[in-house]
Amino acid sequence: MRRTAVLLLAAIVATPAWAAPRTSVVLDKGWSMRIDPADTAAAKAHPKAARWLRATVPGSAQTDLMAAKIVPDPYKGLNEAKIQWVGLTDWQYHTVVRATPELLARDHIDLVFDGLDTFAEVRLNGTRLLAADNAHRRWRVPVKAVLKPGANDLLITFRSPIRTLQPMVLQAKNPLPGEYDSIYGDEPMGKQTSPYIRKPKYQYGWDWGPRIVTQGIWRPARIEAWDDARIEAFRVTQEGLTKSEARLSAELDVVAGEERPVTVQVAVTGPDGRVTQAARTVTVAAGASHVAVPVSVANPQRWFPAGYGAQPLYTVKATLTDGTTTIDTAQRRTGLRTVELRREKDAQGRGFAFVVNGIPVFAKGANLIPFDMFPARVPESQIRTVMAGARDANMNMIRVWGGGYYLDDAFYDLADQMGLMVWQDFMFGGAVTPPDRDFRETVRIEAEEQVDRLQAHPSIVLWSGNNEVLSGWANWSDRIAFKKAVGADEQERIGVGMAVIFDRVLRDAAERRDPDAVYWPGSPSNNYEDKPDIDGDGDRHYWDVWGGKKPVEAYLDSCPRFMSEYGLQSMPEMKTIRTFATDADFSPTSPVMKAHQKFLKGEGNDRLLFYIREKYPEPRDFAEFVYLSQVMQAEGIELAALHHRACRPVTMGSLFWQINDVWPGASWASIDYYGRWKALQFRARHFYAPLAIAAERKDGSMKVSLISDATVSTEAKWRVRTLDVDGKVVATREEAATLAPLSATAVATLSDATLFAGGDPARTIAVAELLVGDRVTSRVLVSAAPKTMTLPDPGLAATWDGDRLTLTATKLARAVWLDFGKVEATPSDNAFDLLPGESVTVTVASKASAVALRRALSVRTLAGVAAVKS
C-alpha cells in the first residue's frame, strides 16, 4: 500500500485582492519514492525499491535508497559499481497536498521547483503539468485550475537520463564529443549522452570523482500563492561609484495579473546601520514588467578582496505595494566595488589583470569542484570549512568550475564575507554543445535565472561561458577527428552553435543582468581573438606537467598571462583512506585504491609514483607513498605558484587545480573530502603570503625574486645561506631591499658554483629568505640534488604546553609532517622545514586529551619516521 502524507497549506489566508502578500509553503515533508512501475525490468530486479519508500526532499534516488539500506555507500570500498543501476532506472516521487478553501481563494497558485534532476514529468491529480529537462533551471507552473478542495495527488516521474537519450546517441553516426567515457559498460566508448543534457556533468564521472548519475527533486519545492502581482527577479546594479556617492539601481521584474499602478519602495541599510530610502510609483502591465528604482548612498564603504581592505556589505530591500499594503518583498545583500579586466597590449601579447577599486590584484587561489556527488546533502559547515581554508591560506580568488552546478547561496555569502573573489563558470564542462534552437533556449532561461539569483554578490567578479569547450574544440585530438569526420558544413553548424551560446546567449545574460562583473566566453580562452590556451593572451590551463609527464621544472618555462588551471595529484592522509579502505587494501595497485583513483581509469597511481620518483627516494611502504605524494604535490605547486607571482606584471593570476574533493580518494585537492588539509594547503599559506621570496633553480643557476602584494612600499632584506645538513654555514649573501607596491622584482641570479660553494651536493642546501625587521616572512629551500640528498635523522625533540607543541631539530628536517594516527587532531601548521637548531611552535586543535595527543604523535620527514624525544 502506498504511504502518503498530507501537506497542509492553511497558512495561506484569503483576503481581498491587493491585500495579501505572496505566501509560500515549502514542500519538504511527506514524500515517498519508488521504481516507476512501468520500468518492469528494474522493478523485478530490485523488488525492495519497487515499494514506496520514505523520500527526502531535496535529495536524490540514490540517497533515499542508501537511507533505506537498499544500496550501500558508494564512497566505501568497491561500492560505486553497486549503485550504477539506480541511474539507469525510472523513478516516481509522490506526496499529497491538501488544499484549503483559503488557498483556493487566492488569484494565482503556482507550483515551483528550484531543481528537478532531470527528465521529469509532473502530474497533479493525474493532469500533466510540465515536462522538465534541465536540472539547472527553476520550474514554475500555475495549478489553481487543477487543485481541488482537500487531498491532491502530486506525482513526479523521473526518466533515466542515459536511457532517455541513448537511442538517439546510438543512432547518430558521429555523436557529439563528450567528457569521460563510462567504465561500467552502460554507454559505449565515444557514445556519451552527457553532451545532450543540462545536468551536472561531473555526475557522469570525472578524473577525480565517481560516476553516480543522480535523479530526484534536488532543490527545494514549494507552493506559492499570490493575488495580482509578485516580484519575479530582483537585481542590484551600480550606476556609479565615487568616494562621496554610490548610485545604485534596484531592478525588479514584476509579474502582474492585470494592468494597474504599484509602488516600489527601496531601503538600503549600510554596514553602520544607516538606512537610505527611495520609492517609485509606476503602472505595470498584465504579465511581465520591468521597474527600476534609482537610489543614492552617501559616503559609500567599498568592498575589497582579501588582503586589500575590509568587506562591508549593504542590505537592499524592495517592497512592492499598492500604495498602502505590502504585496511582495525581495532582499539582496551586496557590496560596492568596481571591477575591470585590464587587457592592455604589450610586448608579450595582451594582459589579463583584475583591477578592483583601481587596484591591480594578483589573483591567488584555486579551482573549486562540487562538494559532494549529492549536492542536496552538502551542509553549510562543509562549504565554510573549504572557504575558511582558502582565506586562511592567503587566497583571494576561487574559480567555480563549469562541470558541476550553480552553488548554494551560502557559498557566495561566505565569499562576500571573506573577501574571496569568485570566477564563476556557467555550467558547461567540456563537451561539445548541441547546435539546436531548443537547447539554446533552455540555456538562455537557465543563465538568466542564475545571473538574477547571484549577481548582487560583490565576490563574483567574472562570469565565464564554459570550461574547456572552446579550447577542446580547437585543440583536442578527438575534436579534430570529429570535425574531419562530419565534414565542413556540419563542423560549421556546430561551431557556430557554440559561438551563439558562448558569445551571444551567455554574454547577453551576464552583461545585461550583471554589468558590475566581467564576462569571459570560456576558460581557457582569449575572447575569440586568437587560438585559445596560449601564454601571450587570455587565461591558460597548463597540463604538460602531470598530464604530459613533463618535469615540474617545466612550470618555469613561461610566464602566462593568467594561469587558471594547473596541478599535481596526491593521496589524502591515512585517516581519510581508512574511511573507504581496510589494511588489506593499502597498496597503490589494490582494487579499492585503484577504484578511488580516477585518473587514467584507475591507473593514475603509476603517475603519482612517476612524479615521486623524479624527486624523492622510492617509497618503502604504503604510508610513505601517501606522505611522499603530498610532499611532491606541495613542493611542485609551490614552485609553480611562486614562479607565476615572480612573473608579475606579465602574469596576474595563479589558480591551482583544485582546493576540494567530491569524495574520498586520490586527487589534485589540497583539502580532502572530510576537510583535512593536505601538505599543499599548508604550503599554500606560505607561497601565497602577501610578501614572498621566489628561488627558481634551472640550468645551473638560481634566480631570486621578491614579491609584494602590499599597496605601500616595504623595507626588507633578503638573504641566501648555504649550509650543510648539520647546520654548518658554507656561504651567506644578504642585501637590503625596498619592495615596491604590487610588484615582483628579480634581485639576483646565482650560479650553482656560487650558490653551493663547493659543498657536497648530497649534504648541502640553499636557503632563500625574505626578512622584514628581524622576522623571516618567507623562505624557500633549494637543493642541488634533492633525490640523492643524504638526510640524517633530524634529532627531533618535542615539548608540550597545553595544546601548544614545540618541535626542535638538531639537524636538517625536511618536509616535517605531524601525524596523530587515528586521533582527530589539527595542527596550526604542518609540512614545514626545520633548519638545524631551529624550533617551531604549533597549536593542536583536538577534542582528545593532552595525554592522548602525546601518545598519538608521530613525525615523518624525508629521512623517514623520526624518533621524537619528549
Side-chain angles (χ1 to χ4, degrees), residues 177-476:
E179 286 105 357
Y180 288 89
D181 285 319
S182 172
I183 64 172
Y184 293 106
D186 51 341
E187 294 187 304
M189 296 296 176
K191 294 183 177 291
Q192 300 173 18
T193 55
S194 66
Y196 300 89
I197 191 172
R198 294 306 298 143
K199 171 181 172 60
K201 298 303 181 71
Y202 78 106
Q203 294 172 340
Y204 289 84
W206 221 267
D207 58 0
W208 36 253
R211 181 178 175 91
I212 302 177
V213 183
T214 57
Q215 297 181 74
I217 308 169
W218 79 287
R219 291 295 201 201
R222 61 191 177 276
I223 291 282
E224 286 190 357
W226 53 287
D227 291 323
D228 279 337
R230 62 180 173 83
I231 299 172
E232 171 70 11
F234 178 37
R235 298 177 294 278
V236 180
T237 61
Q238 295 176 183
E239 299 291 337
L241 180 60
T242 66
K243 290 182 179 180
S244 61
E245 180 189 35
R247 289 181 290 109
L248 306 181
S249 180
E251 309 277 342
L252 285 78
D253 295 337
V254 177
V255 176
E258 61 182 35
E259 179 180 310
R260 64 189 308 161
V262 298
T263 298
V264 178
Q265 299 171 345
V266 176
V268 181
T269 304
D272 55 3
R274 288 190 294 178
V275 179
T276 304
Q277 295 183 328
R280 184 181 180 191
T281 299
V282 299
T283 297
V284 294
S289 298
H290 178 75
V291 182
V293 181
V295 57
S296 176
V297 176
N299 302 315
Q301 299 180 45
R302 296 198 185 207
W303 182 97
F304 285 89
Y308 293 88
Q311 292 79 44
L313 297 171
Y314 289 75
T315 299
V316 185
K317 183 177 181 180
T319 303
L320 184 68
T321 77
D322 64 356
T324 58
T325 304
T326 297
I327 299 164
D328 202 0
T329 62
Q331 185 170 294
R332 293 287 185 268
R333 191 171 62 171
T334 193
L336 308 178
R337 85 291 183 266
T338 61
V339 174
E340 171 195 355
L341 182 59
R342 187 170 293 169
R343 302 188 61 225
E344 297 174 341
K345 293 184 177 180
D346 57 25
Q348 290 79 24
R350 194 167 182 181
F352 194 102
F354 287 94
V355 181
V356 182
N357 297 326
I359 302 172
V361 175
F362 189 100
K364 303 178 296 187
N367 290 260
L368 183 127
I369 64 172
F371 292 94
D372 200 295
M373 293 304 299
F374 309 106
R377 74 177 188 181
V378 176
E380 183 177 335
S381 59
Q382 186 177 359
I383 302 172
R384 183 179 293 274
T385 293
V386 173
M387 298 297 279
R391 176 201 60 200
D392 294 346
N394 290 308
M395 297 184 189
N396 59 31
M397 178 175 278
I398 295 291
R399 174 179 173 241
V400 179
W401 168 78
Y405 57 92
Y406 303 95
L407 296 169
D408 293 345
D409 291 341
F411 170 83
Y412 303 95
D413 289 340
L414 289 168
D416 293 345
Q417 296 164 26
M418 295 179 182
L420 294 170
M421 297 181 291
V422 174
W423 171 310
Q424 176 67 53
D425 281 4
F426 285 100
M427 292 300 118
F428 294 86
V432 174
T433 56
D436 60 274
R437 182 177 300 174
D438 289 345
F439 185 85
R440 289 198 298 271
E441 178 61 13
T442 195
V443 166
R444 180 192 66 80
I445 296 169
E446 163 196 324
E448 292 182 352
E449 287 179 352
Q450 294 296 346
V451 175
D452 284 349
R453 178 173 72 93
L454 298 174
Q455 62 82 222
H457 290 282
S459 55
I460 298 179
V461 296
L462 181 141
W463 292 88
S464 173
N466 65 82
N467 170 79
E468 297 184 349
V469 178
L470 301 180
S471 58
W473 182 249
N475 300 326
W476 295 356

Side-chain angles (χ1 to χ4, degrees), residues 534-785:
I534 58 176
D535 282 334
D537 190 0
D539 67 311
R540 281 224 67 187
H541 291 190
Y542 183 78
W543 288 105
D544 287 0
V545 176
W546 183 265
K549 297 182 71 173
K550 284 189 176 181
V552 294
E553 287 78 14
Y555 285 132
L556 307 178
D557 289 345
S558 66
C559 290
R561 307 320 302 243
F562 193 102
M563 186 69 88
S564 49
E565 273 194 30
Y566 65 101
L568 292 163
Q569 262 201 7
S570 72
M571 298 294 292
E573 67 169 272
M574 292 298 298
K575 272 195 288 288
T576 293
I577 293 171
R578 289 191 177 95
T579 66
F580 65 81
T582 66
D583 290 1
D585 304 314
F586 290 171
S587 165
T589 58
S590 74
V592 168
M593 221 54 64
K594 291 173 72 172
H596 286 255
Q597 164 59 275
K598 295 302 179 181
F599 183 69
L600 294 179
K601 299 180 180 179
E603 301 302 323
N605 288 337
D606 288 342
R607 188 65 51 88
L608 269 175
L609 282 166
F610 171 83
Y611 276 99
I612 289 171
R613 288 163 177 160
E614 284 281 296
K615 296 291 182 185
Y616 311 99
E618 186 75 14
R620 288 167 289 193
D621 55 30
F622 182 73
E624 190 162 75
F625 162 70
V626 169
Y627 161 76
L628 288 175
S629 75
Q630 290 203 20
V631 174
M632 175 274 297
Q633 179 193 39
E635 295 191 345
I637 299 303
E638 179 176 55
L639 179 74
L642 285 173
H643 170 69
H644 297 152
R645 297 185 68 190
C647 284
R648 182 176 186 153
V650 173
T651 303
M652 285 298 291
S654 181
L655 309 179
F656 66 74
W657 184 272
Q658 64 209 60
I659 191 171
N660 66 316
D661 263 333
V662 76
W663 80 325
S667 80
W668 293 263
S670 58
I671 301 176
D672 77 19
Y673 176 73
Y674 295 105
R676 298 182 178 115
W677 285 27
K678 296 183 182 180
L680 171 57
Q681 186 67 16
F682 285 104
R683 291 306 306 163
R685 184 160 53 198
H686 298 281
F687 63 67
Y688 279 154
L691 304 176
I693 189 168
E696 304 175 8
R697 181 172 176 268
K698 182 182 178 183
D699 300 330
S701 65
M702 185 178 78
K703 178 183 175 183
V704 180
S705 300
L706 306 183
I707 301 159
S708 174
D709 289 336
T711 56
V712 295
S713 296
T714 305
E715 297 301 321
K717 61 183 176 182
W718 63 271
R719 71 183 178 204
V720 175
R721 292 182 289 163
T722 305
L723 56 146
D724 68 16
V725 296
D726 297 323
K728 179 183 176 183
V729 177
V730 179
T732 300
R733 179 172 178 176
E734 183 175 302
E735 291 186 16
T738 299
L739 278 63
L742 306 171
S743 68
T745 305
V747 293
T749 299
L750 306 175
S751 68
D752 279 359
T754 300
L755 187 65
F756 296 105
D760 181 357
R763 292 177 51 81
T764 306
I765 197 95
V767 183
E769 294 171 312
L770 178 65
L771 297 89
V772 177
D774 294 328
R775 185 174 66 90
V776 175
T777 62
S778 180
R779 172 193 285 172
V780 177
L781 271 61
V782 176
S783 171

